[in-house]
Amino acid sequence: MSHESSGTGGTPGDPESPDSATSGPATPDTAPPGEPDAAAPRKSRAGRDLPAAIGVGLTLGVSIILILLFAPWVWYIVVSVAFAIATWEVTKRLRSGGHDVAFWPLLVGGQAIIWCSWPWGTTGVLVAFVATVLVIMVWKLLAQGITRAPENYLRNLSASVFVLAWLPLLASFGVLMVHQDHGAARVATLMIVVVCSDVGGYAAGVLFGKHPMAPAISPKKSWEGLAGSLVVGTAGAVCTTMFLLDTQWWVGVILGPVLVVCATLGDLVESQVKRDLDIKDMGTLLPGHGGIMDRLDSLLPSAFIVWAVLTALL
């Protein structure tokens, strides 16, 4: 979840035969000079269709809270479905950009990484991850049969392993927390602090942003936005650790800044991936947000940070 602009990407397609028009959103028809375009969605100063973004965000947030309160085990289903869709989105975009990633091993292996964390914890995650890497190595080696040498083997293998580590491996830490003491509260802490960081960064960036933080990667990110993320995100971390986790306030002081920095870096990583692929968003599933992966960019590294910090300090 970032405090930069978000738009719409290309049309979804079969990851095995991705469409070619994925260089970015289509240019909308323009209205006559001096007249507003009635068909265009109303956007904020940061480029989002803000009403749609807020509506989708609130719906997702309320749904997650209800699941964590009344049926925490359903969280596994939510995460597994979300990352199946995210894997499809990223695979489609990468293939359109010339990276022939191994979709089926990524899809099946990603589900194994997430679900093996239920009975076997971090050991299950590690075994499933390594096993999937080995399958991908052989899969790409034999992609064109045993009589032909694979093309761009190292590049395609590297891209596939990157997706495996970026999506399901980091996501597994978000489900591992459910089994810990106050598991639902730990996951809620992750969500609340990331939202606080996003809201603080978005507001400060729109109102005060004048100094670009990484203009070559994400031009609309500013140092003022980062400062807003740090203030609001740390405040959210202190409140959640005190009132949800019933622990000392200083745990939130440690968790907040570390999470905000990692969430921001997660945003920048996805921004650079999209810049390399010359696209605006990974998908179009969520109005005002883009695709599923466009909402997971900061949550992925944050899930690991929350799991690591709270496991070490609680």
Side-chain angles (χ1 to χ4, degrees):
M1 303 174 73
S2 61
H3 48 266
E4 63 178 330
S5 66
S6 180
T8 57
T11 304
D14 183 354
E16 297 298 331
S17 301
D19 60 285
S20 58
T22 56
S23 60
T27 303
D29 295 333
T30 57
E35 296 183 14
D37 185 358
R42 183 175 298 177
K43 294 186 178 182
S44 68
R45 286 176 56 191
R48 289 186 184 181
D49 179 2
L50 197 55
I54 292 174
V56 170
L58 287 175
T59 300
L60 292 175
V62 171
S63 301
I64 290 172
I65 290 172
L66 292 175
I67 287 171
L68 293 175
L69 285 176
F70 299 107
W73 61 271
V74 177
W75 182 238
Y76 267 88
I77 299 176
V78 172
V79 172
S80 64
V81 171
F83 278 89
I85 298 173
T87 300
W88 170 76
E89 289 178 342
V90 173
T91 297
K92 173 176 173 290
R93 293 303 200 182
L94 286 173
R95 287 190 166 186
S96 297
H99 302 275
D100 188 17
V101 295
F103 172 70
W104 289 109
L106 285 172
L107 181 64
V108 176
Q111 294 298 303
I113 290 171
I114 292 171
W115 286 99
C116 283
S117 67
W118 190 334
W120 298 299
T122 53
T123 300
V125 169
L126 178 61
V127 170
F129 175 77
V130 174
T132 305
V133 170
L134 294 176
V135 170
I136 292 173
M137 291 169 65
V138 177
W139 184 281
K140 298 309 301 178
L141 183 66
L142 303 179
Q144 296 178 319
I146 60 176
T147 59
R148 296 179 59 188
E151 298 179 359
N152 299 316
Y153 176 75
L154 184 58
R155 186 181 72 172
N156 295 329
L157 174 62
S158 300
S160 299
V161 175
F162 167 72
V163 174
L164 188 70
W166 188 25
L167 273 65
L169 180 61
L170 289 177
S172 67
F173 293 98
V175 291
L176 280 168
M177 288 186 287
V178 172
H179 297 291
Q180 297 178 315
D181 293 337
H182 304 291
R186 293 185 188 222
V187 177
T189 297
L190 164 66
M191 298 297 177
I192 291 171
V193 178
V194 170
V195 169
C196 288
S197 172
D198 191 41
V199 170
Y202 181 82
V206 168
L207 295 175
F208 309 111
K210 294 182 179 179
H211 301 88
M213 183 173 63
I217 300 174
S218 183
K220 292 188 177 181
K221 273 189 168 50
S222 65
W223 288 108
E224 291 83 359
L226 178 60
S229 290
L230 286 168
V231 172
V232 181
T234 302
V238 171
C239 291
T240 51
T241 52
M242 289 178 62
F243 299 113
L244 290 183
L245 298 174
D246 193 25
T247 188
Q248 299 297 319
W249 61 270
W250 56 264
V251 175
V253 173
I254 295 174
L255 176 64
V258 176
L259 188 150
V260 167
V261 170
C262 289
T264 302
L265 291 174
D267 287 340
L268 291 176
V269 166
E270 196 200 20
S271 294
Q272 184 58 46
V273 170
K274 291 189 290 187
R275 185 172 291 274
D276 279 357
L277 298 175
D278 195 22
I279 59 175
K280 177 67 174 178
D281 290 312
M282 287 292 183
T284 60
L285 185 62
L286 302 176
H289 291 267
I292 289 286
M293 189 58 205
D294 296 296
R295 294 302 88 207
L296 296 175
D297 50 4
S298 59
L299 279 169
L300 288 169
S302 300
F304 170 74
I305 291 300
V306 173
W307 174 84
V309 172
L310 296 184
T311 299
L313 299 181
L314 298 187

